[in-house]
């Protein structure tokens, strides 16, 4: 349920409503928005809270429309802006995260970080722990990969996003990462969602290969209900009958998610398309559809990449794409972060 306070209500009114709800045995979650103050009560049904409507300062009580509560637009109407150092994600500007699928070596990562800076990107991506479909594929450099990411940040000032694959790795990865990535395969790993929910580092949650939008939102709810409200959602393509592309980019997820949640929406055109020749068009489509940013794979020599080479942009391709993105993003009123 949502309790909405009147614009002229006082702090004392709010305090009384909170105590009243607590005395009923429920947990009130107040949120002070720009337009209104609301109190979410996730554990109560309508009849339980009916007397609250009579209290001073209460405008109305209403059921939540969506399955996720804290993630929902009913609870928080204004967009969440995720803060990563000086960077803002989910605000008025479009953000580009770029880098290799996996951190492979100092040389590879530093070259990529420099290319990301010179083409105008804002965040460096790179996997140190790689959840691979085959146990015989390259699994990542692990902590050494994290150290290299930190070195690249030191040299370029780019914040870093990297994947965390297990709950017991959350403290270690959080010491290095500016944004923790939850991979598609782990979207419903609830122990991991709880662990990143208890962390204070922003999290980017990728949509599972076979997950619906409601399931994605409920997975984000796990993170938020554990206390971490700095959450980005990422559409990275879903599995369909189509085999021409690695996955099918569900571009409609962008407006649907914007309607249902206040959380920022990032699109990953690389894992969606799987083939480099389709990636730029998908990236531009994401900007045109109103996404808050993209995360994209690039590599100094895609043919030699240890993972996801076929979908990696070369540096000149990234540079060209950034120029086109600038045009599209500005045209839809969300220019690139400068
Ligand atoms: C990745 O970002 O390199 C990755 C493994 O992505 P996903 O979890 O979307 O497959
Ligand atoms: Mn990858």
């Amino acid at each position: 349920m949502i309790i909405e306070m009147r614009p002229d209500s006082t702090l004392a009114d709010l305090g009384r409503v909170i105590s009243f709800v607590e005395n009923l045995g429920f947990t009130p979650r107040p949120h002070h928005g720009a337009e209104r103050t609301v109190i979410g009560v996730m554990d109560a049904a309508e009849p339980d809270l009916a007397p609250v409507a009579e209290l001073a300062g209460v405008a109305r009580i209403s059921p939540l429309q969506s399955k996720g509560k804290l993630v929902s637009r009913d609870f928080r109407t204004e967009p969440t802006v995720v803060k990563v150092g000086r960077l803002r994600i989910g605000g008025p500007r479009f953000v580009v995260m770029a880098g290799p699928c996996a951190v492979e070596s100092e040389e590879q990562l530093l070259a990529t970080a420099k290319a990301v800076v010179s083409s105008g990107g804002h965040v460096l991506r790179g996997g140190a722990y790689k959840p691979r479909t085959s146990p015989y594929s390259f699994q990542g450099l692990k902590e050494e990969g994290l150290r290299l990411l930190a070195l690249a940040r030191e040299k370029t000032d780019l914040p870093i996003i990297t994947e965390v694959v297990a709950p017991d790795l959350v403290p270690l990865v959080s010491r290095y990462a500016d944004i923790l990535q939850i991979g598609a395969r782990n979207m419903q790993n609830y122990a991991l969602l709880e662990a990143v929910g208890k962390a204070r580092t922003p999290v980017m949650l990728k949509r599972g290969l076979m997950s619906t939008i409601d399931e994605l939102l409920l997975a984000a709810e796990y993170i938020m209900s554990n206390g971490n409200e700095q959450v980005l959602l990422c559409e990275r393509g879903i599995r369909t009958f189509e085999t021409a592309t690695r996955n099918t980019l569900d571009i409609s997820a962008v407006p649907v998610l914007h309607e249902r949640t206040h959380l920022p929406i990032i699109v990953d055109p690389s894992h969606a398309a799987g083939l480099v020749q389709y990636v730029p068009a998908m990236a531009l489509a994401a900007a045109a559809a109103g996404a808050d940013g993209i995360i994209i794979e690039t590599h100094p020599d895609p043919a030699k990449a240890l993972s996801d080479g076929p979908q990696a942009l070369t540096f000149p391709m990234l540079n060209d794409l950034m120029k086109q993105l600038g045009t599209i993003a500005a045209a839809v009123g969300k220019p690139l972060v400068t």
Side-chain angles (χ1 to χ4, degrees):
M1 300 295 299
I2 290 273
I3 303 167
E4 185 178 338
M5 300 301 290
R6 294 162 51 99
D8 59 357
S9 64
T10 64
L11 271 181
D13 293 337
L14 182 67
R16 271 190 296 273
V17 172
I18 289 174
S19 314
F20 194 93
V21 170
E22 282 171 347
N23 288 338
L24 290 171
F26 302 117
T27 307
R29 294 173 188 263
H31 172 66
H32 305 279
E35 289 166 21
R36 54 182 199 156
T37 294
V38 296
I39 306 163
V41 188
M42 312 324 179
D43 42 0
E46 198 170 358
D48 302 330
L49 292 185
V52 173
E54 309 303 322
L55 299 180
V58 174
R60 69 183 69 84
I61 59 171
S62 48
L64 280 154
Q65 299 304 319
S66 64
K67 291 193 183 139
K69 319 288 190 222
L70 300 170
V71 296
S72 145
R73 276 269 183 203
D74 300 334
F75 185 55
R76 187 175 298 178
T77 45
E78 68 271 23
T80 285
V81 177
V82 170
K83 300 177 187 67
V84 182
R86 289 189 305 276
L87 185 67
R88 298 286 177 269
I89 312 178
R93 287 181 176 267
F94 191 86
V95 172
V96 178
M97 311 185 202
C101 179
V103 178
E104 298 171 1
S105 67
E106 180 172 330
E107 194 189 10
Q108 170 243 19
L109 191 67
L110 294 186
T112 309
K114 280 185 199 137
V116 171
V117 171
S118 67
S119 60
H122 313 109
V123 177
L124 178 66
R125 67 147 288 152
Y129 294 85
K130 295 304 303 176
R132 303 303 300 281
T133 303
S134 163
Y136 306 115
S137 301
F138 175 59
Q139 303 286 315
L141 295 181
K142 307 202 162 78
E143 193 168 354
E144 174 59 12
L146 296 176
R147 277 194 284 269
L148 292 176
L149 285 163
L151 177 69
R153 172 176 51 205
E154 204 181 293
K155 298 224 182 260
T156 59
D157 226 18
L158 288 172
I160 56 181
I161 176 167
T162 194
E163 180 162 353
V164 56
V165 293
D168 57 352
L169 288 171
V170 171
L172 173 71
V173 180
S174 308
R175 278 206 294 282
Y176 292 92
D178 298 292
I179 308 172
L180 297 168
Q181 175 172 323
I182 300 294
R185 287 156 195 79
N186 273 320
M187 190 201 86
Q188 288 180 312
N189 180 339
Y190 298 116
L192 182 58
L193 299 180
E194 282 175 18
V196 297
K198 294 196 171 87
R200 286 296 157 267
T201 309
V203 177
M204 186 181 80
L205 174 66
K206 298 188 89 173
R207 181 178 180 181
L209 282 72
M210 305 284 278
S211 299
T212 64
I213 285 174
D214 272 342
E215 287 162 346
L216 171 63
L217 288 171
L218 285 169
E221 188 80 13
Y222 266 88
I223 302 173
M224 293 189 73
S225 62
N226 276 281
N228 192 343
E229 306 211 325
Q230 296 276 288
V231 179
L232 309 167
L233 301 177
C234 178
E235 161 59 39
R236 47 77 74 204
I238 49 176
R239 186 165 283 181
T240 68
F241 55 81
E242 183 55 73
T243 54
T245 48
R246 182 176 179 185
N247 292 287
T248 298
L249 181 63
D250 180 8
I251 199 75
S252 56
V254 177
V256 172
L257 284 167
H258 272 319
E259 183 180 79
R260 296 204 189 163
T261 180
H262 48 83
L263 297 175
I265 317 301
I266 306 297
V267 169
D268 175 346
S270 306
H271 292 86
L275 293 167
V276 68
Q277 63 271 34
Y278 308 134
V279 169
M282 299 297 94
L284 297 174
D292 296 289
I294 56 168
I295 181 160
I296 196 159
E297 289 185 348
T298 182
H299 192 282
D301 187 356
K304 297 213 177 82
L306 297 181
S307 66
D308 287 350
Q311 68 195 33
L313 301 186
T314 62
F315 299 158
M317 288 166 109
L318 177 66
N319 212 39
D320 289 348
L321 173 62
M322 288 299 289
K323 290 188 192 127
Q324 291 181 296
L325 267 174
T327 309
I328 301 282
V332 297
K334 207 178 187 49
L336 295 186
V337 170
T338 45

